[in-house]
Amino acid sequence: MADKQPVQIRTRKFIRNALLGRRQFIIDVIHPGRANLSKAELQEKVAEMYKVKDATTITMFGFRSAYGGGKSTGFALIYDTIEDAKKFEPKYRLARAGLVKGREGSRKQIKEKKNRMKKVWGVGRRIAKHKAKKASA
């Protein structure tokens, strides 16, 4: 029942950034009676507001709920194309959106690999990387 409460979306500080091929703005979400809104749900609503054909070009991040609830504020970017998004967005945000594959392995494995690589220098570093890939495959 609480999921169907009315939600109001307001944008401010709207900027058209032609250099990065995107529109960027701060988004205020007023959601009384609800804890928050999912980013996917917000993406759909913003796509509808700004007549965006492909919702995957919309990136949202940095949401904070106001004290007492009922209002959240975050940042949104609408890229002109998916290629622009892939070119300018950080890899971790692309991974969250599902546009690129995330890192493989656990945090510990990644750190161990990094520390092993620090011990090898010069041309041997490339050979060691190649051997490590072959061993894991």
Side-chain angles (χ1 to χ4, degrees):
M1 280 286 159
D3 286 349
K4 297 299 172 198
Q5 293 285 340
V7 173
Q8 194 175 47
I9 297 174
R10 292 185 182 150
T11 60
R12 57 191 167 96
K13 296 188 178 180
F14 187 94
I15 296 170
R16 169 75 185 118
N17 191 333
L19 199 62
L20 298 178
R22 70 186 185 197
R23 294 173 273 179
Q24 55 194 51
F25 49 92
I26 293 175
I27 185 167
D28 294 320
V29 184
I30 300 162
H31 48 87
R34 284 182 76 167
N36 59 11
L37 262 74
S38 68
K39 285 183 188 168
E41 195 174 342
L42 275 175
Q43 247 182 346
E44 289 172 20
K45 289 184 185 286
V46 168
E48 202 174 290
M49 271 174 65
Y50 288 100
K51 298 176 179 72
V52 178
K53 291 179 182 97
D54 190 5
T56 56
T57 59
I58 300 172
T59 306
M60 296 183 175
F61 57 93
F63 277 89
R64 293 279 173 259
S65 295
Y67 179 74
K71 182 182 175 187
S72 299
T73 302
F75 204 74
L77 308 169
I78 302 174
Y79 283 94
D80 297 338
T81 63
I82 292 176
E83 288 74 36
D84 286 337
K86 286 182 178 178
K87 188 174 180 184
F88 297 116
E89 272 295 288
K91 296 281 183 271
Y92 76 94
R93 284 207 297 251
L94 289 173
R96 279 182 192 170
L99 295 175
V100 296
K101 201 172 84 173
R103 276 190 153 168
E104 290 290 319
S106 69
R107 185 175 170 85
K108 187 174 181 178
Q109 284 176 325
I110 292 165
K111 287 184 173 206
E112 285 173 352
K113 181 182 171 191
K114 174 195 62 128
N115 290 329
R116 277 195 307 272
M117 289 308 297
K118 287 196 310 190
K119 293 175 188 171
V120 184
W121 286 97
V123 179
R125 180 172 256 174
R126 189 183 68 210
I127 295 165
K129 260 188 185 175
H130 182 71
K131 282 184 179 176
K133 263 191 179 171
K134 269 194 165 178
S136 67

